[in-house]
Amino acid sequence: MEEGFHELTDRVRAELRSPEDLVAYERLLGLARKNTPAAREELARMLVAVERPLWAREIAAFVLGCAGDKRAFETLVLLLNYRDPVRCATAAHALGRLGDPRTARAAAALATNPLRTAYALYPVRLLAELRAPQSVPALIGTLERLLTPHNPYWRVALACVEGLGALGDRRAVPALTSAVAHPRLAAAAAASLARLGVHEDVTAGDGGAAEGAAGEGAAEGGQGVSG
């Protein structure tokens, strides 16, 4: 938890707006470091308390999620579908360590919802990490839906392509073969197919794919921004 926790707390500290916020923040950090049943109980109460700032619930849910405490599940799923990508990333990190069987179902529902595609990047990556029964069907369905010309969510499609290659399930071959025809996805799709024992010519798409791979890191926060 340590690296992710430090990134979260450093970010939250910049959001504090008053001396009262700082006091509450320091108390939260103290509870997180104690890691005792009593401390976790207090963190869990914070998840349902009224008028708590989002950053406080985020810290509490992250700590509980990484500790495998399933009371964090609902808050983490809410944050996984949040408009702010850094909060989505934090939630995905904790959900990947929570060990709750509901996580894969929730991630699949978010990834496959066409109304939430702009926020689907981290649910897609989480599905690949979880390797759950829902993972391959959800990634295939999401990828197939995004294989349209000039789709603004190519980063989500790229995450599907990479995730399907990592999962190594041959049910993904038709969708990955179709992805080879899309310049931003071509190289990654060919690499994923190769992991499945299928080889495709990607000459026509190499340039666009290289551009897409380079843009992924630089623009990760802009999940819904057209490439």
Side-chain angles (χ1 to χ4, degrees):
M1 182 184 79
E2 282 303 314
E3 182 178 353
F5 182 66
H6 289 314
E7 290 176 0
L8 168 60
T9 55
D10 287 348
R11 169 169 58 81
V12 165
R13 189 178 183 91
E15 299 178 16
L16 304 181
R17 294 292 179 265
S18 69
E20 292 77 12
D21 282 349
L22 182 59
V23 170
Y25 169 83
E26 294 291 352
R27 175 167 176 73
L28 266 175
L29 266 57
L31 291 170
R33 294 187 180 110
K34 283 181 181 177
N35 194 29
T36 62
R40 288 194 292 273
E41 285 295 328
E42 189 163 347
L43 290 170
R45 286 196 295 272
M46 198 165 298
L47 297 179
V48 295
V50 297
E51 297 182 357
R52 293 287 186 178
L54 181 61
W55 57 261
R57 287 186 286 136
E58 183 181 9
I59 291 175
F62 182 87
V63 173
L64 291 171
C66 289
D69 190 319
K70 292 178 173 53
R71 290 174 292 184
F73 175 77
E74 286 82 4
T75 301
L76 290 173
V77 170
L78 174 68
L79 292 168
L80 183 66
N81 193 37
Y82 201 70
R83 63 181 177 271
D84 187 347
V86 295
R87 288 200 156 98
C88 298
T90 296
H93 180 93
L95 283 166
R97 288 145 186 81
L98 179 60
D100 192 312
R102 297 173 293 174
T103 298
R105 294 193 295 272
L110 294 175
T112 57
N113 185 343
L115 300 179
R116 306 299 294 172
T117 305
Y119 309 102
L121 180 61
Y122 288 98
V124 163
R125 290 177 173 173
L126 180 58
L127 283 167
E129 178 186 345
L130 292 173
R131 295 181 168 271
Q134 297 88 346
S135 296
V136 170
L139 295 188
I140 290 174
T142 302
L143 176 59
E144 289 176 339
R145 176 165 50 83
L146 297 178
L147 292 180
T148 56
H150 312 298
N151 191 293
Y153 304 116
W154 62 269
R155 294 181 183 88
V156 177
L158 181 62
C160 290
V161 167
E162 293 171 340
L164 288 168
L167 290 170
D169 191 312
R170 290 187 64 85
R171 287 177 293 173
V173 168
L176 291 172
T177 301
S178 297
V180 171
H182 292 255
R184 291 188 185 275
L185 308 177
S192 290
L193 284 167
R195 297 178 74 170
L196 298 174
V198 179
H199 297 278
E200 288 285 331
D201 180 6
V202 297
T203 304
D206 281 344
E211 176 191 346
E216 171 70 11
E220 186 154 295
Q223 297 175 38
V225 179
S226 174

mmCIF file of all heavy atoms in Angstrom, residues 16-66:
data_model
loop_
_atom_site.group_PDB
_atom_site.id
_atom_site.type_symbol
_atom_site.label_atom_id
_atom_site.label_comp_id
_atom_site.label_asym_id
_atom_site.label_seq_id
_atom_site.Cartn_x
_atom_site.Cartn_y
_atom_site.Cartn_z
ATOM 1 N N LEU A 16 -6.429 20.583 0.717
ATOM 2 C CA LEU A 16 -6.905 21.100 2.000
ATOM 3 C C LEU A 16 -7.078 22.615 1.932
ATOM 4 O O LEU A 16 -6.254 23.322 1.355
ATOM 5 C CB LEU A 16 -5.931 20.725 3.113
ATOM 6 C CG LEU A 16 -5.636 19.222 3.257
ATOM 7 C CD1 LEU A 16 -4.670 18.992 4.402
ATOM 8 C CD2 LEU A 16 -6.908 18.422 3.438
ATOM 9 N N ARG A 17 -8.154 23.096 2.561
ATOM 10 C CA ARG A 17 -8.486 24.517 2.424
ATOM 11 C C ARG A 17 -8.568 25.264 3.742
ATOM 12 O O ARG A 17 -8.798 26.481 3.748
ATOM 13 C CB ARG A 17 -9.835 24.649 1.688
ATOM 14 C CG ARG A 17 -9.799 24.164 0.245
ATOM 15 C CD ARG A 17 -8.924 25.078 -0.605
ATOM 16 N NE ARG A 17 -8.835 24.636 -1.995
ATOM 17 C CZ ARG A 17 -7.852 23.879 -2.474
ATOM 18 N NH1 ARG A 17 -6.860 23.482 -1.649
ATOM 19 N NH2 ARG A 17 -7.824 23.510 -3.730
ATOM 20 N N SER A 18 -8.396 24.576 4.874
ATOM 21 C CA SER A 18 -8.554 25.269 6.162
ATOM 22 C C SER A 18 -7.744 24.553 7.227
ATOM 23 O O SER A 18 -7.356 23.387 7.048
ATOM 24 C CB SER A 18 -10.033 25.289 6.562
ATOM 25 O OG SER A 18 -10.469 23.984 6.881
ATOM 26 N N PRO A 19 -7.487 25.217 8.344
ATOM 27 C CA PRO A 19 -6.815 24.537 9.464
ATOM 28 C C PRO A 19 -7.606 23.318 9.950
ATOM 29 O O PRO A 19 -7.019 22.317 10.363
ATOM 30 C CB PRO A 19 -6.739 25.622 10.546
ATOM 31 C CG PRO A 19 -6.796 26.909 9.794
ATOM 32 C CD PRO A 19 -7.687 26.652 8.619
ATOM 33 N N GLU A 20 -8.943 23.399 9.884
ATOM 34 C CA GLU A 20 -9.763 22.260 10.300
ATOM 35 C C GLU A 20 -9.539 21.069 9.371
ATOM 36 O O GLU A 20 -9.494 19.919 9.826
ATOM 37 C CB GLU A 20 -11.233 22.657 10.315
ATOM 38 C CG GLU A 20 -11.618 23.671 11.394
ATOM 39 C CD GLU A 20 -11.212 25.096 11.043
ATOM 40 O OE1 GLU A 20 -10.836 25.339 9.863
ATOM 41 O OE2 GLU A 20 -11.247 25.948 11.945
ATOM 42 N N ASP A 21 -9.391 21.350 8.088
ATOM 43 C CA ASP A 21 -9.093 20.283 7.135
ATOM 44 C C ASP A 21 -7.776 19.600 7.482
ATOM 45 O O ASP A 21 -7.667 18.369 7.430
ATOM 46 C CB ASP A 21 -9.003 20.841 5.712
ATOM 47 C CG ASP A 21 -10.358 21.112 5.098
ATOM 48 O OD1 ASP A 21 -11.377 20.689 5.680
ATOM 49 O OD2 ASP A 21 -10.393 21.745 4.028
ATOM 50 N N LEU A 22 -6.788 20.393 7.829
ATOM 51 C CA LEU A 22 -5.470 19.830 8.153
ATOM 52 C C LEU A 22 -5.537 18.937 9.392
ATOM 53 O O LEU A 22 -4.928 17.857 9.418
ATOM 54 C CB LEU A 22 -4.450 20.951 8.368
ATOM 55 C CG LEU A 22 -3.024 20.498 8.670
ATOM 56 C CD1 LEU A 22 -2.467 19.627 7.550
ATOM 57 C CD2 LEU A 22 -2.112 21.714 8.909
ATOM 58 N N VAL A 23 -6.306 19.368 10.385
ATOM 59 C CA VAL A 23 -6.461 18.552 11.591
ATOM 60 C C VAL A 23 -7.125 17.222 11.247
ATOM 61 O O VAL A 23 -6.684 16.149 11.690
ATOM 62 C CB VAL A 23 -7.285 19.310 12.654
ATOM 63 C CG1 VAL A 23 -7.651 18.382 13.812
ATOM 64 C CG2 VAL A 23 -6.505 20.516 13.166
ATOM 65 N N ALA A 24 -8.190 17.273 10.457
ATOM 66 C CA ALA A 24 -8.892 16.044 10.073
ATOM 67 C C ALA A 24 -7.983 15.140 9.236
ATOM 68 O O ALA A 24 -8.001 13.908 9.397
ATOM 69 C CB ALA A 24 -10.152 16.397 9.293
ATOM 70 N N TYR A 25 -7.213 15.752 8.379
ATOM 71 C CA TYR A 25 -6.276 14.999 7.529
ATOM 72 C C TYR A 25 -5.221 14.277 8.378
ATOM 73 O O TYR A 25 -4.962 13.083 8.177
ATOM 74 C CB TYR A 25 -5.622 15.990 6.562
ATOM 75 C CG TYR A 25 -4.447 15.479 5.774
ATOM 76 C CD1 TYR A 25 -4.627 14.755 4.605
ATOM 77 C CD2 TYR A 25 -3.139 15.766 6.178
ATOM 78 C CE1 TYR A 25 -3.538 14.308 3.863
ATOM 79 C CE2 TYR A 25 -2.051 15.331 5.451
ATOM 80 C CZ TYR A 25 -2.256 14.609 4.290
ATOM 81 O OH TYR A 25 -1.161 14.184 3.566
ATOM 82 N N GLU A 26 -4.647 14.974 9.332
ATOM 83 C CA GLU A 26 -3.627 14.359 10.182
ATOM 84 C C GLU A 26 -4.232 13.234 11.036
ATOM 85 O O GLU A 26 -3.581 12.209 11.268
ATOM 86 C CB GLU A 26 -2.987 15.417 11.090
ATOM 87 C CG GLU A 26 -2.186 16.484 10.344
ATOM 88 C CD GLU A 26 -0.905 15.939 9.725
ATOM 89 O OE1 GLU A 26 -0.553 14.768 9.986
ATOM 90 O OE2 GLU A 26 -0.253 16.686 8.978
ATOM 91 N N ARG A 27 -5.474 13.409 11.452
ATOM 92 C CA ARG A 27 -6.122 12.345 12.214
ATOM 93 C C ARG A 27 -6.324 11.107 11.346
ATOM 94 O O ARG A 27 -6.104 9.975 11.791
ATOM 95 C CB ARG A 27 -7.457 12.843 12.756
ATOM 96 C CG ARG A 27 -8.238 11.745 13.470
ATOM 97 C CD ARG A 27 -9.393 12.296 14.277
ATOM 98 N NE ARG A 27 -10.180 11.219 14.870
ATOM 99 C CZ ARG A 27 -9.789 10.477 15.892
ATOM 100 N NH1 ARG A 27 -8.608 10.700 16.445
ATOM 101 N NH2 ARG A 27 -10.560 9.521 16.370
ATOM 102 N N LEU A 28 -6.735 11.324 10.106
ATOM 103 C CA LEU A 28 -6.909 10.204 9.174
ATOM 104 C C LEU A 28 -5.609 9.445 8.969
ATOM 105 O O LEU A 28 -5.582 8.212 8.974
ATOM 106 C CB LEU A 28 -7.407 10.726 7.824
ATOM 107 C CG LEU A 28 -8.906 10.733 7.575
ATOM 108 C CD1 LEU A 28 -9.201 11.392 6.235
ATOM 109 C CD2 LEU A 28 -9.457 9.320 7.590
ATOM 110 N N LEU A 29 -4.527 10.177 8.783
ATOM 111 C CA LEU A 29 -3.237 9.527 8.587
ATOM 112 C C LEU A 29 -2.837 8.734 9.818
ATOM 113 O O LEU A 29 -2.268 7.637 9.700
ATOM 114 C CB LEU A 29 -2.168 10.566 8.245
ATOM 115 C CG LEU A 29 -1.916 10.803 6.760
ATOM 116 C CD1 LEU A 29 -3.185 11.216 6.036
ATOM 117 C CD2 LEU A 29 -0.827 11.839 6.537
ATOM 118 N N GLY A 30 -3.152 9.268 10.993
ATOM 119 C CA GLY A 30 -2.846 8.531 12.214
ATOM 120 C C GLY A 30 -3.618 7.226 12.301
ATOM 121 O O GLY A 30 -3.063 6.177 12.664
ATOM 122 N N LEU A 31 -4.900 7.247 11.935
ATOM 123 C CA LEU A 31 -5.703 6.030 11.927
ATOM 124 C C LEU A 31 -5.166 5.019 10.921
ATOM 125 O O LEU A 31 -5.108 3.817 11.196
ATOM 126 C CB LEU A 31 -7.163 6.365 11.600
ATOM 127 C CG LEU A 31 -7.939 7.143 12.649
ATOM 128 C CD1 LEU A 31 -9.277 7.601 12.092
ATOM 129 C CD2 LEU A 31 -8.140 6.304 13.909
ATOM 130 N N ALA A 32 -4.777 5.523 9.759
ATOM 131 C CA ALA A 32 -4.255 4.628 8.726
ATOM 132 C C ALA A 32 -2.980 3.939 9.191
ATOM 133 O O ALA A 32 -2.777 2.745 8.930
ATOM 134 C CB ALA A 32 -3.988 5.420 7.450
ATOM 135 N N ARG A 33 -2.131 4.665 9.865
ATOM 136 C CA ARG A 33 -0.846 4.095 10.304
ATOM 137 C C ARG A 33 -1.028 3.112 11.464
ATOM 138 O O ARG A 33 -0.233 2.188 11.620
ATOM 139 C CB ARG A 33 0.106 5.214 10.683
ATOM 140 C CG ARG A 33 0.522 6.079 9.486
ATOM 141 C CD ARG A 33 1.601 7.072 9.846
ATOM 142 N NE ARG A 33 1.981 7.875 8.701
ATOM 143 C CZ ARG A 33 1.711 9.174 8.572
ATOM 144 N NH1 ARG A 33 1.055 9.815 9.532
ATOM 145 N NH2 ARG A 33 2.080 9.838 7.499
ATOM 146 N N LYS A 34 -2.057 3.303 12.278
ATOM 147 C CA LYS A 34 -2.289 2.383 13.402
ATOM 148 C C LYS A 34 -2.619 0.982 12.907
ATOM 149 O O LYS A 34 -2.152 -0.013 13.447
ATOM 150 C CB LYS A 34 -3.432 2.900 14.271
ATOM 151 C CG LYS A 34 -3.050 4.049 15.180
ATOM 152 C CD LYS A 34 -4.254 4.471 16.019
ATOM 153 C CE LYS A 34 -3.904 5.634 16.928
ATOM 154 N NZ LYS A 34 -5.087 6.094 17.694
ATOM 155 N N ASN A 35 -3.502 0.918 11.886
ATOM 156 C CA ASN A 35 -3.878 -0.371 11.298
ATOM 157 C C ASN A 35 -4.349 -1.371 12.360
ATOM 158 O O ASN A 35 -3.985 -2.548 12.356
ATOM 159 C CB ASN A 35 -2.709 -0.960 10.504
ATOM 160 C CG ASN A 35 -3.159 -2.104 9.601
ATOM 161 O OD1 ASN A 35 -4.310 -2.137 9.148
ATOM 162 N ND2 ASN A 35 -2.274 -3.057 9.352
ATOM 163 N N THR A 36 -5.169 -0.891 13.278
ATOM 164 C CA THR A 36 -5.750 -1.747 14.305
ATOM 165 C C THR A 36 -7.239 -1.923 14.020
ATOM 166 O O THR A 36 -7.839 -1.132 13.279
ATOM 167 C CB THR A 36 -5.590 -1.113 15.689
ATOM 168 O OG1 THR A 36 -6.306 0.139 15.706
ATOM 169 C CG2 THR A 36 -4.117 -0.872 16.009
ATOM 170 N N PRO A 37 -7.887 -2.931 14.617
ATOM 171 C CA PRO A 37 -9.336 -3.079 14.422
ATOM 172 C C PRO A 37 -10.109 -1.820 14.811
ATOM 173 O O PRO A 37 -11.055 -1.431 14.118
ATOM 174 C CB PRO A 37 -9.685 -4.264 15.321
ATOM 175 C CG PRO A 37 -8.429 -5.084 15.357
ATOM 176 C CD PRO A 37 -7.309 -4.083 15.361
ATOM 177 N N ALA A 38 -9.717 -1.181 15.892
ATOM 178 C CA ALA A 38 -10.412 0.031 16.322
ATOM 179 C C ALA A 38 -10.237 1.158 15.305
ATOM 180 O O ALA A 38 -11.186 1.899 15.010
ATOM 181 C CB ALA A 38 -9.895 0.472 17.694
ATOM 182 N N ALA A 39 -9.036 1.289 14.769
ATOM 183 C CA ALA A 39 -8.795 2.327 13.762
ATOM 184 C C ALA A 39 -9.613 2.057 12.505
ATOM 185 O O ALA A 39 -10.181 2.980 11.913
ATOM 186 C CB ALA A 39 -7.307 2.384 13.430
ATOM 187 N N ARG A 40 -9.681 0.782 12.093
ATOM 188 C CA ARG A 40 -10.458 0.450 10.896
ATOM 189 C C ARG A 40 -11.949 0.692 11.118
ATOM 190 O O ARG A 40 -12.664 1.103 10.200
ATOM 191 C CB ARG A 40 -10.183 -0.987 10.475
ATOM 192 C CG ARG A 40 -8.788 -1.162 9.874
ATOM 193 C CD ARG A 40 -8.643 -2.495 9.157
ATOM 194 N NE ARG A 40 -8.680 -3.623 10.083
ATOM 195 C CZ ARG A 40 -7.612 -4.100 10.718
ATOM 196 N NH1 ARG A 40 -6.418 -3.534 10.532
ATOM 197 N NH2 ARG A 40 -7.716 -5.137 11.530
ATOM 198 N N GLU A 41 -12.424 0.450 12.329
ATOM 199 C CA GLU A 41 -13.826 0.749 12.632
ATOM 200 C C GLU A 41 -14.113 2.234 12.447
ATOM 201 O O GLU A 41 -15.145 2.618 11.899
ATOM 202 C CB GLU A 41 -14.158 0.324 14.071
ATOM 203 C CG GLU A 41 -14.307 -1.157 14.273
ATOM 204 C CD GLU A 41 -15.499 -1.729 13.516
ATOM 205 O OE1 GLU A 41 -16.509 -1.005 13.354
ATOM 206 O OE2 GLU A 41 -15.414 -2.890 13.080
ATOM 207 N N GLU A 42 -13.191 3.061 12.929
ATOM 208 C CA GLU A 42 -13.407 4.508 12.789
ATOM 209 C C GLU A 42 -13.343 4.929 11.326
ATOM 210 O O GLU A 42 -14.122 5.784 10.883
ATOM 211 C CB GLU A 42 -12.368 5.269 13.617
ATOM 212 C CG GLU A 42 -12.665 6.753 13.695
ATOM 213 C CD GLU A 42 -11.924 7.453 14.812
ATOM 214 O OE1 GLU A 42 -11.365 6.772 15.690
ATOM 215 O OE2 GLU A 42 -11.923 8.700 14.798
ATOM 216 N N LEU A 43 -12.442 4.338 10.576
ATOM 217 C CA LEU A 43 -12.373 4.643 9.144
ATOM 218 C C LEU A 43 -13.646 4.207 8.438
ATOM 219 O O LEU A 43 -14.151 4.921 7.550
ATOM 220 C CB LEU A 43 -11.163 3.945 8.519
ATOM 221 C CG LEU A 43 -9.789 4.489 8.922
ATOM 222 C CD1 LEU A 43 -8.684 3.564 8.419
ATOM 223 C CD2 LEU A 43 -9.576 5.897 8.373
ATOM 224 N N ALA A 44 -14.174 3.063 8.803
ATOM 225 C CA ALA A 44 -15.407 2.576 8.180
ATOM 226 C C ALA A 44 -16.580 3.501 8.492
ATOM 227 O O ALA A 44 -17.435 3.742 7.623
ATOM 228 C CB ALA A 44 -15.702 1.156 8.645
ATOM 229 N N ARG A 45 -16.648 4.021 9.708
ATOM 230 C CA ARG A 45 -17.723 4.960 10.051
ATOM 231 C C ARG A 45 -17.616 6.222 9.208
ATOM 232 O O ARG A 45 -18.633 6.843 8.865
ATOM 233 C CB ARG A 45 -17.666 5.298 11.545
ATOM 234 C CG ARG A 45 -18.155 4.168 12.448
ATOM 235 C CD ARG A 45 -18.438 4.683 13.853
ATOM 236 N NE ARG A 45 -17.226 5.145 14.519
ATOM 237 C CZ ARG A 45 -16.426 4.364 15.236
ATOM 238 N NH1 ARG A 45 -16.688 3.066 15.371
ATOM 239 N NH2 ARG A 45 -15.359 4.855 15.840
ATOM 240 N N MET A 46 -16.402 6.609 8.861
ATOM 241 C CA MET A 46 -16.202 7.807 8.054
ATOM 242 C C MET A 46 -16.801 7.664 6.646
ATOM 243 O O MET A 46 -17.205 8.643 6.024
ATOM 244 C CB MET A 46 -14.700 8.102 7.950
ATOM 245 C CG MET A 46 -14.369 9.505 7.532
ATOM 246 S SD MET A 46 -12.642 9.854 7.874
ATOM 247 C CE MET A 46 -12.579 9.660 9.652
ATOM 248 N N LEU A 47 -16.882 6.438 6.164
ATOM 249 C CA LEU A 47 -17.416 6.213 4.820
ATOM 250 C C LEU A 47 -18.901 6.540 4.727
ATOM 251 O O LEU A 47 -19.395 6.875 3.649
ATOM 252 C CB LEU A 47 -17.197 4.755 4.407
ATOM 253 C CG LEU A 47 -15.751 4.290 4.280
ATOM 254 C CD1 LEU A 47 -15.722 2.823 3.882
ATOM 255 C CD2 LEU A 47 -14.988 5.134 3.274
ATOM 256 N N VAL A 48 -19.612 6.423 5.826
ATOM 257 C CA VAL A 48 -21.063 6.637 5.801
ATOM 258 C C VAL A 48 -21.486 7.883 6.572
ATOM 259 O O VAL A 48 -22.675 8.209 6.613
ATOM 260 C CB VAL A 48 -21.796 5.395 6.366
ATOM 261 C CG1 VAL A 48 -21.557 4.192 5.467
ATOM 262 C CG2 VAL A 48 -21.345 5.071 7.786
ATOM 263 N N ALA A 49 -20.547 8.568 7.170
ATOM 264 C CA ALA A 49 -20.878 9.784 7.916
ATOM 265 C C ALA A 49 -21.311 10.886 6.955
ATOM 266 O O ALA A 49 -20.817 10.989 5.831
ATOM 267 C CB ALA A 49 -19.679 10.237 8.739
ATOM 268 N N VAL A 50 -22.225 11.711 7.395
ATOM 269 C CA VAL A 50 -22.716 12.806 6.548
ATOM 270 C C VAL A 50 -21.726 13.972 6.593
ATOM 271 O O VAL A 50 -20.989 14.163 7.556
ATOM 272 C CB VAL A 50 -24.115 13.270 7.005
ATOM 273 C CG1 VAL A 50 -25.115 12.138 6.845
ATOM 274 C CG2 VAL A 50 -24.086 13.759 8.455
ATOM 275 N N GLU A 51 -21.721 14.727 5.524
ATOM 276 C CA GLU A 51 -20.944 15.960 5.404
ATOM 277 C C GLU A 51 -19.439 15.741 5.561
ATOM 278 O O GLU A 51 -18.714 16.632 6.015
ATOM 279 C CB GLU A 51 -21.429 17.004 6.415
ATOM 280 C CG GLU A 51 -22.879 17.420 6.177
ATOM 281 C CD GLU A 51 -23.343 18.491 7.151
ATOM 282 O OE1 GLU A 51 -22.560 18.858 8.041
ATOM 283 O OE2 GLU A 51 -24.487 18.940 7.001
ATOM 284 N N ARG A 52 -18.969 14.588 5.189
ATOM 285 C CA ARG A 52 -17.529 14.363 5.148
ATOM 286 C C ARG A 52 -17.022 14.736 3.764
ATOM 287 O O ARG A 52 -17.647 14.415 2.759
ATOM 288 C CB ARG A 52 -17.194 12.895 5.430
ATOM 289 C CG ARG A 52 -17.503 12.455 6.841
ATOM 290 C CD ARG A 52 -16.515 13.041 7.826
ATOM 291 N NE ARG A 52 -16.727 12.515 9.169
ATOM 292 C CZ ARG A 52 -15.979 12.826 10.210
ATOM 293 N NH1 ARG A 52 -14.973 13.657 10.065
ATOM 294 N NH2 ARG A 52 -16.241 12.308 11.393
ATOM 295 N N PRO A 53 -15.875 15.412 3.656
ATOM 296 C CA PRO A 53 -15.357 15.743 2.324
ATOM 297 C C PRO A 53 -14.965 14.485 1.561
ATOM 298 O O PRO A 53 -14.631 13.445 2.145
ATOM 299 C CB PRO A 53 -14.138 16.620 2.631
ATOM 300 C CG PRO A 53 -13.753 16.276 4.031
ATOM 301 C CD PRO A 53 -15.015 15.909 4.747
ATOM 302 N N LEU A 54 -14.995 14.595 0.249
ATOM 303 C CA LEU A 54 -14.691 13.442 -0.597
ATOM 304 C C LEU A 54 -13.287 12.924 -0.320
ATOM 305 O O LEU A 54 -13.059 11.708 -0.290
ATOM 306 C CB LEU A 54 -14.836 13.822 -2.072
ATOM 307 C CG LEU A 54 -14.561 12.707 -3.081
ATOM 308 C CD1 LEU A 54 -15.528 11.548 -2.894
ATOM 309 C CD2 LEU A 54 -14.630 13.249 -4.503
ATOM 310 N N TRP A 55 -12.327 13.816 -0.095
ATOM 311 C CA TRP A 55 -10.952 13.361 0.107
ATOM 312 C C TRP A 55 -10.828 12.509 1.367
ATOM 313 O O TRP A 55 -10.020 11.574 1.407
ATOM 314 C CB TRP A 55 -9.971 14.542 0.155
ATOM 315 C CG TRP A 55 -10.218 15.602 1.187
ATOM 316 C CD1 TRP A 55 -10.825 16.801 0.999
ATOM 317 C CD2 TRP A 55 -9.856 15.552 2.580
ATOM 318 N NE1 TRP A 55 -10.853 17.510 2.190
ATOM 319 C CE2 TRP A 55 -10.268 16.767 3.159
ATOM 320 C CE3 TRP A 55 -9.217 14.598 3.381
ATOM 321 C CZ2 TRP A 55 -10.071 17.068 4.508
ATOM 322 C CZ3 TRP A 55 -9.020 14.880 4.735
ATOM 323 C CH2 TRP A 55 -9.442 16.101 5.279
ATOM 324 N N ALA A 56 -11.635 12.814 2.388
ATOM 325 C CA ALA A 56 -11.578 12.025 3.617
ATOM 326 C C ALA A 56 -12.119 10.618 3.368
ATOM 327 O O ALA A 56 -11.539 9.613 3.814
ATOM 328 C CB ALA A 56 -12.371 12.716 4.720
ATOM 329 N N ARG A 57 -13.220 10.526 2.641
ATOM 330 C CA ARG A 57 -13.780 9.206 2.327
ATOM 331 C C ARG A 57 -12.850 8.435 1.391
ATOM 332 O O ARG A 57 -12.738 7.212 1.476
ATOM 333 C CB ARG A 57 -15.175 9.359 1.721
ATOM 334 C CG ARG A 57 -16.217 9.771 2.749
ATOM 335 C CD ARG A 57 -17.613 9.789 2.170
ATOM 336 N NE ARG A 57 -17.813 10.932 1.302
ATOM 337 C CZ ARG A 57 -18.412 10.886 0.117
ATOM 338 N NH1 ARG A 57 -18.835 9.733 -0.357
ATOM 339 N NH2 ARG A 57 -18.581 11.972 -0.590
ATOM 340 N N GLU A 58 -12.174 9.155 0.514
ATOM 341 C CA GLU A 58 -11.241 8.491 -0.391
ATOM 342 C C GLU A 58 -10.085 7.856 0.382
ATOM 343 O O GLU A 58 -9.710 6.695 0.132
ATOM 344 C CB GLU A 58 -10.695 9.498 -1.409
ATOM 345 C CG GLU A 58 -9.760 8.869 -2.431
ATOM 346 C CD GLU A 58 -9.199 9.876 -3.415
ATOM 347 O OE1 GLU A 58 -9.383 11.096 -3.212
ATOM 348 O OE2 GLU A 58 -8.556 9.436 -4.384
ATOM 349 N N ILE A 59 -9.504 8.588 1.316
ATOM 350 C CA ILE A 59 -8.406 8.031 2.113
ATOM 351 C C ILE A 59 -8.890 6.828 2.920
ATOM 352 O O ILE A 59 -8.248 5.771 2.954
ATOM 353 C CB ILE A 59 -7.803 9.101 3.042
ATOM 354 C CG1 ILE A 59 -7.060 10.169 2.222
ATOM 355 C CG2 ILE A 59 -6.854 8.453 4.053
ATOM 356 C CD1 ILE A 59 -6.529 11.324 3.057
ATOM 357 N N ALA A 60 -10.041 6.980 3.589
ATOM 358 C CA ALA A 60 -10.569 5.884 4.400
ATOM 359 C C ALA A 60 -10.830 4.647 3.548
ATOM 360 O O ALA A 60 -10.473 3.521 3.930
ATOM 361 C CB ALA A 60 -11.848 6.333 5.109
ATOM 362 N N ALA A 61 -11.442 4.829 2.376
ATOM 363 C CA ALA A 61 -11.750 3.692 1.507
ATOM 364 C C ALA A 61 -10.480 3.044 0.978
ATOM 365 O O ALA A 61 -10.399 1.809 0.875
ATOM 366 C CB ALA A 61 -12.634 4.147 0.344
ATOM 367 N N PHE A 62 -9.493 3.842 0.648
ATOM 368 C CA PHE A 62 -8.241 3.294 0.140
ATOM 369 C C PHE A 62 -7.558 2.430 1.197
ATOM 370 O O PHE A 62 -7.127 1.304 0.913
ATOM 371 C CB PHE A 62 -7.312 4.430 -0.294
ATOM 372 C CG PHE A 62 -6.009 3.960 -0.869
ATOM 373 C CD1 PHE A 62 -5.899 3.659 -2.212
ATOM 374 C CD2 PHE A 62 -4.879 3.829 -0.068
ATOM 375 C CE1 PHE A 62 -4.694 3.226 -2.756
ATOM 376 C CE2 PHE A 62 -3.678 3.389 -0.586
ATOM 377 C CZ PHE A 62 -3.584 3.088 -1.946
ATOM 378 N N VAL A 63 -7.465 2.944 2.405
ATOM 379 C CA VAL A 63 -6.804 2.203 3.476
ATOM 380 C C VAL A 63 -7.550 0.900 3.768
ATOM 381 O O VAL A 63 -6.948 -0.176 3.872
ATOM 382 C CB VAL A 63 -6.707 3.070 4.747
ATOM 383 C CG1 VAL A 63 -6.182 2.254 5.927
ATOM 384 C CG2 VAL A 63 -5.789 4.270 4.494
ATOM 385 N N LEU A 64 -8.868 0.983 3.881
ATOM 386 C CA LEU A 64 -9.654 -0.214 4.163
ATOM 387 C C LEU A 64 -9.596 -1.207 3.007
ATOM 388 O O LEU A 64 -9.487 -2.420 3.213
ATOM 389 C CB LEU A 64 -11.108 0.172 4.442
ATOM 390 C CG LEU A 64 -11.353 0.940 5.743
ATOM 391 C CD1 LEU A 64 -12.785 1.464 5.788
ATOM 392 C CD2 LEU A 64 -11.074 0.064 6.955
ATOM 393 N N GLY A 65 -9.653 -0.697 1.773
ATOM 394 C CA GLY A 65 -9.596 -1.583 0.616
ATOM 395 C C GLY A 65 -8.289 -2.343 0.532
ATOM 396 O O GLY A 65 -8.275 -3.558 0.296
ATOM 397 N N CYS A 66 -7.198 -1.649 0.745
ATOM 398 C CA CYS A 66 -5.891 -2.305 0.701
ATOM 399 C C CYS A 66 -5.718 -3.295 1.848
ATOM 400 O O CYS A 66 -4.915 -4.229 1.745
ATOM 401 C CB CYS A 66 -4.777 -1.260 0.727
ATOM 402 S SG CYS A 66 -4.639 -0.297 -0.799
#
